[in-house]
Amino acid sequence: MNRLKDTILYAVIPCYQEEDALPETINQLGAQFAKMEQAGVISPKSRMVFVDDGSKDQTWQMIRDAAQKDTRIEGIKLSRNVGHQNALLAGLMAVREDCDCCISVDADLQDDIEAIPEFVAAFEQGNDVVYGVRSCRKKDSVFKRTSAKAFYKLMKILGADVVENHADYRLMSRRALNALAEFSEVNLFLRGVVRLVGMPTATVTYARKQRQAGKSKYPLKKMLSFAFDGITSFSIRPIRLVWSLGMLVCFLAVLAAIYSLLAFWGGNSVSGWTSLMISIWFLGGVQLISVGVIGEYIGKIYKEVKRRPRYIIEERIRL
Ligand code: UDP
Ligand code: MG
């Protein structure tokens, strides 16, 4: 006998110029949803929501046709290309009132959709955020693998809390989505912000697959700017580094001063050299420290303008 569950699962799939991948994605995801529905894992009210991120190809037409044929499919069209993170957020925010939990999936099916029931199971065990973690990245190019590794290392060194080898394949409960909605920052780095939401979390590991059709929509330029965004929206440590550099230069200035004075007293220096040497080093240090001090204040302003929630209530009991 089927165990009937009433977990309403929504999948949000950001799509940018994905006409090559979409037909197969719609098929496979549809089949996976049907399977889970039949097994009683998810409610028949579950939906797949495709977000067209301002594509210029047939993506939106495909989504529209699919939505007309299949009531489990919904479409959202953004007015222009706003990037993966924002497109994903648009989808999540649009569905949060209708679902119990929502999973974000890439349109190229690189993230194994066979793992979705595991995400739902973790959700039912009381986890509000379930991170998909790649167990192996053999199918990614060597370049992508090494650059991603370097990125996670750098994020860690700079003090930003991210889950390693987790992209945006993740399930969030409605409660977590509502908390996410409280973050109104414009430079949104979802992977970092979701960590700040807190609440019980779990991970599901899966093997990352090859992109099933079409090309990656993350060329090097976008990848670098994504990494840079991630770091600068989560860490003011670079500012502190300027500070430390200033202190270091000041220390070197003392050494340089000793050296130039010795040379001066020893009589083997051109006139004017000693004073120039000392001022250059010393001024350099002072300037760096000053920039660091200003930076510290800018860092504070930066934190203020983000207006991040200072706390998130997970539960409240009142009898
Ligand atoms: N994507 C998007 N807007 C963009 C770029 C990408 O919505 O401006 C979507 C894309 O359609 C895909 C997902 O983000 O569903 C991940 O992109 P992709 O697979 O190209 O990235 P990669 O896996 O190469 O990092
Ligand atoms: Mg991909």
Side-chain angles (χ1 to χ4, degrees):
M1 241 259 310
N2 279 343
R3 205 162 37 112
L4 268 185
K5 288 264 179 63
D6 48 5
T7 300
I8 303 177
L9 170 74
Y10 271 56
V12 167
I13 309 107
C15 311
Y16 177 57
Q17 321 268 54
E18 295 284 8
E19 61 181 7
D20 295 328
L22 260 184
E24 192 52 29
T25 304
I26 291 172
N27 258 342
Q28 289 192 22
L29 203 59
Q32 175 67 10
F33 261 61
K35 207 164 85 186
M36 290 189 293
E37 219 179 275
Q38 262 155 27
V41 176
I42 56 172
S43 143
K45 289 192 199 135
S46 300
R47 298 281 179 271
M48 293 158 269
V49 183
F50 290 84
V51 181
D52 174 21
D53 184 13
S55 309
K56 293 192 177 65
D57 60 2
Q58 294 295 307
T59 301
W60 178 242
Q61 281 84 330
M62 286 179 170
I63 295 173
R64 211 173 37 196
D65 291 348
Q68 260 149 19
K69 273 190 226 130
D70 187 342
T71 49
R72 297 171 310 163
I73 292 178
E74 291 178 11
I76 293 175
K77 184 180 191 306
L78 301 181
S79 62
R80 63 178 180 90
N81 180 247
V82 293
H84 175 221
Q85 299 281 293
N86 286 315
L88 186 52
L89 185 75
L92 294 177
M93 291 303 114
V95 306
R96 71 188 152 111
E97 292 306 331
D98 305 317
C99 63
D100 294 322
C101 58
C102 181
I103 189 163
S104 35
V105 186
D106 279 356
D108 56 6
L109 294 190
Q110 279 193 287
D111 305 319
D112 188 8
I113 56 169
E114 296 289 328
I116 296 181
E118 284 178 57
F119 283 83
V120 178
F123 164 72
E124 268 159 14
Q125 278 157 18
N127 294 296
D128 286 275
V129 184
V130 187
Y131 297 101
V133 173
R134 299 161 184 176
S135 60
C136 83
R137 300 186 66 135
K138 286 210 187 80
K139 296 280 168 61
D140 271 338
S141 68
V142 177
F143 172 71
K144 190 130 200 167
R145 235 164 33 213
T146 36
S147 59
K149 203 162 191 176
F151 171 65
Y152 289 118
K153 268 248 161 64
L154 190 63
M155 285 297 270
K156 251 198 197 122
I157 292 172
L158 291 176
D161 181 21
V162 287
V163 180
E164 200 169 330
N165 274 330
H166 158 69
D168 284 294
Y169 191 26
R170 121 174 47 80
L171 176 142
M172 292 177 80
S173 68
R174 188 203 300 196
R175 197 167 65 155
L177 288 173
N178 283 335
L180 181 66
E182 305 262 317
F183 290 80
S184 49
E185 57 202 82
V186 175
N187 288 301
L188 189 83
F189 186 68
L190 267 177
R191 282 170 221 187
V193 172
V194 172
R195 291 294 278 174
L196 299 182
V197 165
M199 303 192 185
T201 59
T203 55
V204 167
T205 45
Y206 68 97
R208 179 142 162 109
K209 296 188 188 167
Q210 217 144 21
R211 182 174 244 285
Q212 51 120 338
K215 277 202 210 73
S216 171
K217 307 297 179 295
Y218 263 102
L220 183 63
K221 204 174 119 217
K222 261 195 198 169
M223 248 162 67
L224 285 178
S225 99
F226 180 63
F228 198 69
D229 266 357
I231 290 164
T232 50
S233 43
F234 270 85
S235 169
I236 56 165
R237 228 169 250 191
I239 294 174
R240 300 260 158 85
L241 287 180
V242 175
W243 239 110
S244 318
L245 195 63
M247 299 300 268
L248 179 73
V249 171
C250 274
F251 174 70
L252 290 179
V254 175
L255 295 186
I258 294 172
Y259 169 73
S260 356
L261 283 175
L262 285 180
F264 174 69
W265 287 323
N268 38 17
S269 67
V270 198
S271 90
W273 177 77
T274 316
S275 49
L276 258 182
M277 241 344 231
I278 298 181
S279 354
I280 288 176
W281 275 96
F282 195 62
L283 271 179
V286 168
Q287 279 173 349
L288 274 176
I289 290 185
S290 315
V291 172
V293 171
I294 296 174
E296 196 62 36
Y297 284 99
I298 295 183
K300 292 262 150 51
I301 297 172
Y302 178 63
K303 280 188 176 165
E304 287 295 331
V305 295
K306 279 206 251 205
R307 305 204 135 270
R308 281 187 179 163
R310 278 169 285 188
Y311 52 81
I312 287 163
I313 294 174
E314 188 177 307
E315 233 175 289
R316 180 171 174 185
I317 299 177
R318 236 180 358 177
L319 296 176

